[in-house]
């Protein structure tokens, strides 16, 4: 049921009043009578002053009062009319335009919930539809008037890089009764209009809005209005993006509205206070070596902290507890631990926190500064003791120590000292409140080794904000950056920052990585003529930072995927089935036909040595990631016992051989050589990686493998391949037999094999294959000499001889490279050094003794 | 409709707006109470100035005890004098805000009457 009777609502009356000419006149009158009041008052005053100067006696004063009464009378009447006009305007704006709303029931008139701006747009829609005889009243015209009458929405759309003019123009094309022939709609309003209103009600309720605001309607229209939907689709935007941008706009609006209400306690309390220190002890030494976070927050203008709600609440609880009240904030550097400190400082200034925290000074002690200024350890300890005593004596200080691990159980080094002995005696005093900040590494490496200190703290883990929270954080930051650099920031650019930094920068957490990229891009943009920050600008910066061709990854990646077989075959001889299987699996994985959690691709390469397994991995790294350097190679025979796990995933004080390179370069190919030799528990780690796409390293950090291709190679069971091929068995049957053998002998567990996108079996190489490989290798030498303007002729005999010497049934083509080095590269290099070969020469190598022959041209 | 609007105006003028004005009045009083730290200063009125205290030391010595008592007493007296100064100043400001707020509040309440009286007075001045 759709009960929507606009004309029976109070908001409809409000629209009519606001549109009435009388209201327009009142606004003009208000200004006119204000001016008249000023003019008459000035005239009256001037007259009074001039008459006083000319003569002064009692008689003249009485005369004056009668002579100039009319001026005072006019001034007073003007003032009264001005006040009445102002009253009418304020009354209409604050009362009439904001009528009370009924309770939400199934039969309630939904039009009662419209806000004034939405109602005004609807009123225009109805009038226009009546005039043009367009029925039922539809969402397209409604959107047209909503955009036309609300300039704030134009700004919202421009942040989405959409042009309001283009949209309204397109909407205007549909303003004819024929175009709105709507069979589904039976009432006064079209079906889409009905759906829009119902959706907007849901959106408004979810946001706890009293009325359906213009943003709620715009979001609902983005879902149900087809022309607007088309624009969004074309710009690659989803209703969720509209939701986010509206939230952003509403957030800004709330901030502006709050600022305007100067009489609210929140605004009044921003002045800080005087004489607070007179109620507490001196902190002369502390003031010398500390930064007052409370004062800094006041100077910044008290910008509220986004997110970290749980962490802030936990910290407040601990700091205000009656007993030991020291907090150890733990998180990855860059996760925003300073925001928790800032939030506590802000809440404390406003008196909005708990009893033990309100109106306290949050002071960050700069121990490195102290260490730099003082000469001896004794001096440092003396000063620190003095500072801690001052903190206790003052009774209104919350002390903050950043990089706390540097001051626990450490040897003396630049910027580091062990203060635990000194600190321990203060930490259990209720008057001493400490917020220590440390990284996970610092905690595991240093602080945990000192349990007596650790026990005096309550830990608060500061988690990395989610991409959604980071988006909101950047939106909060945007107006400041826009003001600083004089450029607008588009929503797609902010989304791109979060998306790309989330995908390609793994060694720094949110929000730092996103904030850094956004700021860096704004700095660059400020030097250009572009007015808007676009996703392309972000692509450039991320590409420069990560060395990943981010900008055109979409088109470039598509081309690569479609031609992957050809590109790999430029380097790999034979192995058509294997290359095809890898290519098709990768295409399937990257097309994201299914929701994918694991890495970009996971493959198990099986086959004898020297058949091109590693070379295929190298080729893939080079083609897909742009360089062979993007291949992280682990020899799994080095991980044959359980004790090797820490070496792989790291531990306190030791970086992981697997996790650290992936953390630093997630956009890489991970090659696990001889995977069958690894300990089963180590293989179990890869079950999780292949399944979920991430693993937690020894330091508690989440390592993401979603942008990594994992290739495991093994020559287990290669004899089966050789035997079966000797017996002329179809190669497609070899794979089945091989896997049976691997499972029978418990070399691999089926659950591991099943987690790979494909198990690829490499064939042994034929003589022709080896000749082709030799040709490829010799081609490289030919190219090198070609650059020196020397022509190198590769004869068939030479190739055959190289293959004859380099081929080994057990090692495949592996020896071929060495043979070419020994027999071809060495004689050529010697001849070059002896200057037997010169520029412009044409040379050949004899197949028998590998002697350099200069041929005639 | 006009009756309805008149009713709404009366509610707005004599209920909604006084409520809002009352809140603002309270906010000003509260914020200046905190601005001059009146609460904290009253609570710590007799505590030593900036926590400056002399120790009685070990063992009993009448002169040392007398000295310390006098020193600590002075520290408390000095603290109290300075604090009282700010407390009084804060109190004066609070009284001022209280009176000003009252004037604004009651002016608003009697604004319709004031406008009528003003209008009559100005007409008298003109004619």
């Amino acid at each position: 049921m759709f009960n929507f009777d606009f004309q029976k609502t109070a908001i409809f009356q409000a629209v009519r009043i606001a549109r009435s000419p009388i209201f327009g006149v009142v606004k003009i009158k208000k200004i006119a009578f204000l001016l008249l009041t000023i003019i008459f008052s000035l005239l009256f005053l001037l007259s009074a002053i001039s008459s006083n100067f000319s003569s002064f006696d009692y008689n003249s004063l009485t005369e004056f009062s009668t002579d100039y009464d009319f001026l005072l009378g006019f001034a007073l009447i003007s003032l009264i009319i001005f006040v009445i006009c102002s009253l009418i305007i304020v009354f209409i704006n604050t009362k009439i335009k904001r009528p009370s709303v009924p309770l939400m029931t199934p039969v309630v008139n939904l039009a009662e919930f419209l806000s004034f701006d939405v109602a005004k747009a609807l009123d225009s829609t109805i009038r226009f539809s009546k005039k043009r005889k367009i029925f039922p009243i539809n969402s397209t015209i409604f959107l047209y008037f909503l955009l036309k009458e609300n300039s704030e929405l134009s700004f919202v759309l421009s942040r989405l890089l959409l042009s309001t003019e283009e949209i309204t123009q397109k909407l205007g094309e549909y303003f004819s009764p024929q175009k709105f022939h709507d069979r589904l709609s039976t009432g006064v309003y079209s079906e889409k209009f009905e759906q829009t209103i119902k959706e907007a009600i849901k959106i408004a309720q979810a946001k706890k809005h009293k009325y359906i605001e213009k943003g709620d309607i715009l979001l609902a229209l983005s879902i149900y209005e087809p022309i607007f939907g088309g624009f969004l689709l074309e710009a690659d935007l989803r209703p969720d993006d509209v939701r986010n941008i509206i939230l952003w706009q509403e957030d800004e609006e709330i901030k502006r509205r709050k600022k305007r209400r100067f009489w609210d306690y929140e605004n009044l309390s921003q002045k800080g206070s005087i004489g607070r220190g007179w109620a507490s002890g001196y902190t002369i030494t502390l003031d010398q070596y500390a930064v007052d976070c409370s004062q800094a927050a006041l100077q910044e203008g008290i910008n509220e902290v986004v997110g970290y709600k749980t962490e802030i609440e936990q910290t407040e609880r601990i700091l205000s507890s009656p007993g030991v009240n020291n907090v150890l904030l733990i998180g990855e550097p860059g996760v925003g631990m300073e925001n928790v400190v800032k939030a506590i400082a802000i809440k404390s200034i406003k008196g909005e926190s708990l009893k033990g925290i309100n109106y306290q000074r949050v002071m960050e002690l700069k121990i490195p500064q102290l260490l730099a200024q003082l000469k001896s350890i004794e001096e440092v300890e003396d000063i620190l003791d003095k500072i801690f005593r001052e903190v206790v004596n003052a009774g209104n200080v919350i002390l903050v120590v950043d990089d706390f691990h540097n001051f626990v159980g450490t040897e003396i080094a630049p910027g580091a000292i062990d203060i635990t002995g000194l600190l321990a005696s203060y930490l259990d005093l209720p008057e001493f409140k400490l917020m220590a900040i440390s990284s996970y590494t610092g905690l595991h490496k240093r602080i945990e080794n000192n349990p007596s200190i650790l026990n005096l703290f309550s830990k608060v883990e500061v988690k990395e904000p989610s991409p959604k929270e980071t988006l909101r954080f950047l939106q909060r930051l945007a107006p400041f950056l826009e003001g600083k650099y004089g450029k607008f920031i588009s929503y797609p650019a902010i989304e791109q920052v979060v998306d790309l930094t989330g995908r390609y920068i793994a060694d720094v957490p949110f929000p730092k990585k996103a904030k850094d990229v956004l700021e860096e891009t704004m700095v660059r943009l400020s030097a250009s003529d572009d007015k808007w920050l676009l996703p392309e600008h972000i692509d450039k910066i991320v590409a420069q930072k990560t060395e990943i061709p981010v900008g055109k990854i979409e088109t470039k990646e598509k081309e690569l995927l479609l031609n992957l077989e050809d590109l790999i075959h430029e380097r790999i001889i034979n192995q058509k089935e294997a290359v095809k299987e890898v290519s098709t699996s990768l295409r399937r994985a990257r097309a994201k036909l299914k929701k994918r959690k694991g890495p970009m691709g996971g493959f198990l390469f099986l086959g004898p040595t020297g058949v091109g397994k590693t070379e295929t991995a190298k080729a893939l790294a080079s083609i897909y990631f742009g360089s062979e350097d993007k291949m992280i190679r682990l020899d799994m025979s080095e991980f044959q016992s359980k004790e090797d796990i820490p070496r792989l995933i790291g531990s306190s004080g030791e970086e992981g051989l697997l996790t650290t390179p992936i953390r630093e370069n997630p956009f890489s190919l991970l090659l696990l050589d001889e995977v069958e030799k690894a300990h089963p528990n180590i293989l179990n780690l890869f079950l999780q990686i292949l399944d979920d796409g991430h693993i937690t390293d020894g330091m508690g950090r989440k390592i993401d493998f979603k942008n990594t291709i994992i290739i495991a190679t093994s020559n287990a069971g290669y004899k089966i391949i050789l035997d079966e091929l000797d017996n002329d068995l179809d190669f497609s049957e070899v794979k089945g037999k091989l896997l049976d053998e691997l499972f029978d002998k418990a070399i691999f567990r089926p659950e591991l094999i099943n987690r790979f996108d494909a198990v690829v079996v490499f064939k042994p190489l034929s003589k022709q294959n080896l000749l082709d490989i030799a040709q490829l290798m010799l081609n490289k030498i030919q190219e090198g000499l070609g650059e020196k303007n020397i022509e190198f002729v590769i004869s068939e005999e030479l190739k055959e001889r190289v293959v004859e010497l380099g081929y080994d049934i057990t090692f495949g083509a592996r020896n071929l490279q060495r043979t070419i080095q020994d027999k071809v590269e060495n004689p050529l290099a010697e001849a070059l050094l002896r200057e037997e070969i010169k520029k412009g020469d044409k040379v050949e190598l004899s197949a028998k003794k590998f002697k350099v022959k200069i041929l005639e041209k | 409709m006009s009756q309805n609007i008149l009713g709404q105006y009366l509610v707005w003028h004599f209920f909604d707006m006084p409520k809002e004005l009352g809140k603002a009045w309270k906010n000003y009083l509260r914020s200046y109470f905190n601005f001059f730290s009146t609460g904290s200063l009253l609570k710590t009125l007799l505590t030593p100035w900036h926590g400056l205290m002399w120790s009685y030391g070990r063992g009993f010595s009448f002169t040392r005890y007398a000295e310390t008592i006098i020193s600590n007493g002075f520290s408390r007296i000095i603290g109290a004098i300075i604090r009282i100064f700010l407390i009084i100043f804060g109190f004066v400001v609070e009284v001022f805000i209280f009176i000003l707020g009252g004037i604004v509040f009651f002016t608003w309440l009697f604004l319709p009457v004031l406008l009528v009286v003003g209008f009559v007075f100005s007409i008298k001045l003109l004619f």
Side-chain angles (χ1 to χ4, degrees):
Chain A
M1 190 186 161
F2 183 58
N3 184 8
F4 193 87
D5 192 345
F6 181 49
Q7 292 181 346
K8 279 188 185 163
T9 59
I11 198 71
F12 173 71
Q13 301 301 334
V15 172
R16 284 294 148 99
I17 290 167
R19 279 196 199 278
S20 71
I22 301 167
F23 188 60
V25 171
V26 169
K27 279 185 183 172
I28 299 163
K29 270 185 181 173
K30 183 189 149 187
I31 301 163
F33 279 97
L34 174 67
L35 288 173
L36 282 175
T37 309
I38 296 167
I39 291 165
F40 283 125
S41 304
L42 282 175
L43 282 174
F44 177 74
L45 282 173
L46 281 173
S47 311
I49 293 163
S50 60
S51 64
N52 272 355
F53 269 114
S54 55
S55 62
F56 184 78
D57 60 62
Y58 182 75
N59 289 337
S60 66
L61 204 67
T62 355
E63 266 171 42
F64 168 80
S65 82
T66 44
D67 284 352
Y68 298 104
D69 270 358
F70 75 97
L71 283 176
L72 185 63
F74 275 127
L76 266 175
I77 283 193
S78 305
L79 179 69
I80 289 164
I81 298 173
F82 163 72
V83 172
I84 291 170
C85 291
S86 303
L87 274 177
I88 293 170
I89 292 166
V90 177
F91 168 61
I92 288 173
N93 285 340
T94 57
K95 183 76 178 175
I96 298 289
K97 287 185 182 180
R98 301 185 63 78
S100 54
V101 288
L103 280 173
M104 180 59 78
T105 59
V107 287
V108 74
N109 179 6
L110 296 179
E112 304 246 27
F113 294 94
L114 299 181
S115 70
F116 180 78
D117 292 329
V118 176
K120 210 169 128 200
L122 182 60
D123 185 54
S124 303
T125 308
I126 294 169
R127 281 173 185 221
F128 182 83
S129 300
K130 274 186 184 168
K131 201 173 154 194
R132 293 273 191 103
K133 294 185 178 140
I134 300 170
F135 287 102
I137 292 160
N138 63 69
S139 54
T140 307
I141 305 176
F142 188 28
L143 174 64
Y144 177 83
F145 283 103
L146 189 76
L147 294 179
K148 239 183 147 195
E149 292 181 359
N150 294 286
S151 54
E152 308 93 319
L153 292 182
S154 295
F155 188 63
V156 167
L157 292 182
S158 60
R159 277 222 195 263
L160 284 170
L161 300 175
L162 294 175
S163 155
T164 313
E165 268 179 33
E166 271 178 38
I167 296 173
T168 47
Q169 201 183 338
K170 185 87 179 167
L171 293 169
E173 288 171 15
Y174 283 76
F175 289 171
S176 71
Q178 291 82 6
K179 292 234 177 181
F180 288 113
H181 187 66
D182 187 353
R183 279 188 215 157
L184 289 166
S185 310
T186 49
V188 183
Y189 299 98
S190 74
E191 201 203 10
K192 292 239 177 307
F193 182 91
E194 186 183 326
Q195 287 169 329
T196 304
I197 295 292
K198 285 180 177 171
E199 184 64 30
I201 283 271
K202 276 188 216 163
I203 295 164
Q205 278 180 330
K207 287 190 200 166
K208 293 185 179 145
H209 284 171
K210 186 179 175 187
Y211 306 102
I212 301 173
E213 300 290 347
K214 46 188 182 268
D216 306 331
I217 282 283
L218 189 72
L219 177 55
L221 283 165
S222 74
I223 301 167
Y224 290 108
E225 209 297 307
I227 300 163
F228 188 33
F231 268 94
L232 293 175
L233 205 66
E234 214 172 291
D236 197 20
L237 293 163
R238 298 166 302 278
D240 239 13
D241 297 321
V242 180
R243 189 188 303 275
N244 285 340
I245 188 94
I246 286 168
L247 272 176
W248 183 6
Q249 192 259 338
E250 284 174 354
D251 217 22
E252 289 296 308
E253 181 59 36
I254 290 169
K255 251 168 74 181
R256 276 197 294 272
R257 222 180 281 162
K258 272 188 181 173
K259 254 189 186 168
R260 276 202 298 265
R261 290 177 61 88
F262 59 89
W263 59 88
D264 278 350
Y265 183 74
E266 205 180 325
N267 288 322
L268 293 170
S269 65
Q270 291 193 12
K271 292 187 298 284
S273 61
I274 56 168
R276 187 78 55 187
W278 294 359
S280 53
Y282 274 128
T283 53
I284 297 170
T285 327
L286 173 69
D287 294 344
Q288 208 179 334
Y289 296 103
V291 172
D292 192 334
C293 300
S294 308
Q295 207 59 39
L298 269 176
Q299 277 166 0
E300 255 182 42
I302 302 201
N303 290 317
E304 262 175 48
V305 170
V306 180
Y308 307 100
K309 205 180 157 206
T310 324
E311 290 88 343
I312 294 166
E313 278 173 9
Q314 281 180 348
T315 309
E316 281 180 292
R317 257 200 317 273
I318 299 162
L319 285 175
S320 61
S321 65
V324 175
N325 41 24
N326 307 302
V327 183
L328 183 60
L329 290 174
I330 302 160
E332 283 297 310
V335 92
M337 287 180 278
E338 68 284 357
N339 286 325
V340 179
V341 175
K342 191 178 163 190
I344 297 289
I346 289 172
K347 284 184 125 186
S348 167
I349 295 167
K350 287 184 180 174
E352 285 176 353
S353 186
L354 302 171
K355 209 181 162 191
I357 302 170
N358 284 341
Y359 309 114
Q360 302 277 299
R361 289 164 76 210
V362 180
M363 305 285 287
E364 187 187 338
L365 178 61
K366 299 281 184 191
I367 299 181
Q369 186 191 330
L370 196 146
L371 290 174
Q373 286 181 14
L374 301 176
K375 283 172 196 160
S376 68
I377 291 302
E378 289 73 29
E379 249 184 299
V380 172
E381 284 182 344
D382 273 354
I383 294 288
L384 278 174
D385 190 40
K386 210 171 171 186
I387 287 172
F388 295 156
R389 263 190 282 132
E390 281 180 1
V391 170
V392 175
N393 193 34
N396 70 337
V397 174
I398 298 173
L399 201 63
V400 180
V401 176
D402 199 1
D403 292 327
F404 184 64
H405 47 266
N406 281 345
F407 315 114
V408 175
T410 176
E411 281 174 19
I412 298 154
I417 184 180
D418 185 8
I419 59 166
T420 47
L422 189 63
L423 199 58
S425 52
Y426 290 94
L427 282 175
D428 55 359
L429 298 174
E431 299 86 11
F432 192 83
K433 294 186 178 84
L434 178 65
M435 285 171 80
I437 300 174
S438 174
S439 62
Y440 282 107
T441 322
L443 172 76
H444 299 318
K445 244 174 147 177
R446 302 259 172 78
I447 306 170
E448 279 177 352
N449 294 337
N450 205 325
S452 58
I453 284 287
L454 190 61
N455 289 339
L456 292 166
F457 283 95
S458 297
K459 277 190 269 181
V460 172
E461 282 188 53
V462 182
K463 293 198 182 78
E464 183 179 9
S466 66
K468 230 178 184 179
E469 283 172 323
T470 309
L471 195 81
R472 277 201 65 209
F473 177 85
L474 296 186
Q475 286 174 344
R476 276 280 176 98
L477 184 70
F480 166 74
L481 293 178
E482 284 177 338
K484 192 173 173 187
Y485 298 105
K487 306 279 177 186
F488 286 112
I489 299 174
S490 71
Y491 172 79
I494 288 197
E495 210 183 26
Q496 189 81 336
V497 172
V498 178
D499 181 32
L500 294 185
T501 52
R503 273 162 69 185
Y504 301 117
I505 302 176
D507 52 345
V508 185
F510 278 138
K512 190 180 185 321
K513 58 184 172 187
K515 187 178 162 234
D516 288 352
V517 166
L518 184 64
E519 280 189 345
E520 201 176 326
T521 323
M522 283 301 272
V523 171
R524 298 268 183 98
L525 189 70
S526 62
S528 76
D529 294 332
D530 298 340
K531 283 186 178 164
W532 281 87
L533 180 75
L534 305 174
E536 296 88 270
H537 298 121
I538 306 294
D539 293 345
K540 269 188 201 166
I541 297 290
V542 175
Q544 278 174 15
K545 270 181 152 341
T546 59
E547 294 175 19
I548 299 168
V550 171
K552 285 167 187 161
I553 194 153
E554 295 288 318
T555 43
K556 201 179 170 191
E557 192 180 348
K558 274 179 205 161
E559 275 172 32
L560 276 177
L561 284 166
L562 290 170
N563 302 312
L564 203 55
E565 284 97 331
D566 295 341
L567 292 165
I568 297 177
H569 277 304
E570 282 176 16
R571 292 183 54 168
I572 305 295
I573 299 298
N574 197 11
Q575 312 301 1
K576 275 190 184 165
E577 291 85 354
V579 170
K580 195 171 178 202
E581 208 158 347
V582 171
S583 306
T584 49
S585 298
L586 209 52
R587 276 196 285 267
R588 228 173 22 239
R590 296 301 284 152
K592 291 176 185 163
L593 290 176
K594 287 187 288 181
K595 203 176 174 197
R596 208 180 155 79
K597 286 200 299 183
M600 206 189 262
F603 303 99
L604 175 62
F605 287 180
L606 295 172
T609 310
V611 291
K613 299 192 296 289
T614 306
E615 192 60 24
T616 307
K618 276 187 193 170
L620 209 55
S622 165
I623 294 161
Y624 206 83
F625 299 112
S627 160
E628 277 183 28
D629 296 341
K630 292 279 181 185
M631 188 170 90
I632 298 159
R633 192 171 177 169
L634 288 177
D635 189 348
M636 298 309 283
S637 61
E638 290 177 20
F639 305 96
Q640 295 193 8
S641 73
K642 261 201 280 188
E643 286 69 39
D644 292 321
I645 292 179
R647 279 208 301 133
L648 206 60
I649 64 166
S651 61
S652 58
E654 188 185 10
E655 295 287 354
L657 290 171
L658 167 70
T659 48
T660 303
I662 293 289
R663 188 166 173 262
E664 283 164 2
N665 285 303
F667 201 67
S668 306
L669 189 144
L670 174 66
L671 180 69
L672 308 171
D673 255 345
E674 299 190 78
V675 71
E676 78 283 1
K677 290 184 180 161
H679 189 274
N681 282 10
I682 287 177
L683 291 182
N684 284 343
L685 293 176
F686 286 97
L687 285 183
Q688 194 203 331
I689 293 172
L690 290 164
D691 221 17
D692 301 332
H694 64 83
I695 194 175
T696 307
D697 75 357
M699 277 163 262
R701 299 175 299 201
K702 188 179 157 189
I703 310 295
D704 203 340
F705 285 76
K706 286 194 177 69
N707 295 299
T708 311
I709 294 178
I710 299 177
I711 293 177
T713 70
S714 168
N715 59 5
Y718 77 95
K719 279 187 181 159
I720 291 190
I721 304 174
L722 297 178
D723 292 348
E724 298 300 333
L725 285 176
D726 280 349
N727 298 333
D728 281 338
L729 195 76
D730 185 13
F731 191 70
S732 57
E733 289 175 29
V734 173
K735 188 169 159 184
K737 286 210 166 199
L738 180 61
L739 286 176
D740 287 343
E741 165 93 0
L742 295 178
F743 294 150
D744 286 347
K745 288 190 175 170
I747 296 171
F748 293 121
R749 282 155 59 197
E751 53 264 45
L752 178 70
I753 299 286
N754 287 339
R755 276 172 172 83
F756 285 107
D757 289 305
V759 175
V760 184
V761 180
F762 282 65
K763 276 183 194 173
L765 299 169
S766 65
K767 192 182 172 191
Q768 186 53 45
N769 297 150
L770 290 165
L771 285 172
D772 291 340
I773 293 170
Q775 176 75 48
L776 273 184
M777 290 173 173
L778 292 168
N779 279 350
K780 282 186 188 166
I781 299 171
Q782 196 177 37
E783 276 169 31
L785 287 170
E787 277 173 22
K788 296 184 193 299
N789 208 10
I790 296 164
E791 194 182 335
F792 176 50
V793 178
I794 304 163
S795 64
E796 281 303 310
E797 295 81 38
L798 179 70
K799 276 196 293 181
E800 287 201 6
R801 182 87 172 110
V802 164
V803 168
E804 191 189 316
L805 292 172
Y807 183 64
D808 183 306
I809 188 77
T810 327
F811 294 108
R814 191 160 286 177
N815 278 344
L816 217 53
Q817 183 69 47
R818 199 171 300 148
T819 310
I820 288 175
Q821 272 176 6
D822 280 355
K823 306 292 180 191
V824 181
E825 284 178 31
N826 287 349
L828 282 169
E830 277 173 30
L832 267 173
L833 291 171
R834 286 196 190 115
E835 294 185 355
E836 287 167 12
I837 314 172
K838 286 169 195 149
K839 271 188 185 176
D841 282 350
K842 186 177 179 181
V843 294
E844 192 187 47
L845 273 183
S846 69
K848 277 191 177 175
K849 292 190 173 176
F850 298 102
K851 279 201 170 172
V852 180
K853 280 198 281 184
I854 298 172
L855 303 174
E856 279 185 25
K857 276 202 164 181
Chain B
M1 186 183 139
S2 55
Q3 269 184 342
N4 184 22
I5 286 186
L6 185 68
Q8 283 192 64
Y9 180 81
L10 292 175
V11 172
W12 176 74
H13 193 103
F14 295 106
F15 182 72
D16 294 350
M17 284 301 284
K19 213 167 98 181
E20 194 69 16
L21 283 171
K23 267 189 215 165
W25 193 8
K26 196 179 110 189
N27 288 343
Y28 272 99
L29 286 170
R30 194 181 146 202
S31 76
Y32 276 94
F33 183 81
N34 280 325
F35 181 72
F36 289 106
S37 315
T38 315
S40 315
L41 294 178
L42 275 171
K43 263 189 223 164
T44 56
L45 184 66
L46 293 170
T47 55
W49 178 239
H50 277 308
L52 278 181
M53 289 275 276
W54 282 261
S55 167
Y56 288 92
R58 289 184 183 190
F60 181 78
S61 156
F62 179 77
T63 47
R64 201 175 65 239
Y65 257 67
E67 256 176 39
T68 311
I69 285 173
I70 291 166
S71 303
N72 289 344
F74 268 110
S75 182
R76 285 175 194 276
I77 291 164
I78 289 168
I81 291 169
I82 297 173
R83 285 182 197 117
I84 281 173
F85 172 76
L86 196 60
I87 290 168
I88 291 171
F89 192 77
F91 182 72
V92 170
V93 173
E94 287 282 293
V95 169
F96 177 73
I97 292 167
F98 186 78
I99 293 167
L100 200 70
I103 290 169
V104 172
F105 188 82
F106 288 106
T107 306
W108 175 264
L109 276 186
F110 295 107
L111 191 62
V113 178
L114 288 175
L115 288 174
V116 172
V117 170
F119 188 74
V120 172
F121 178 68
S122 49
I123 293 291
K124 269 188 181 174
L125 284 175
L126 285 176
F127 305 104

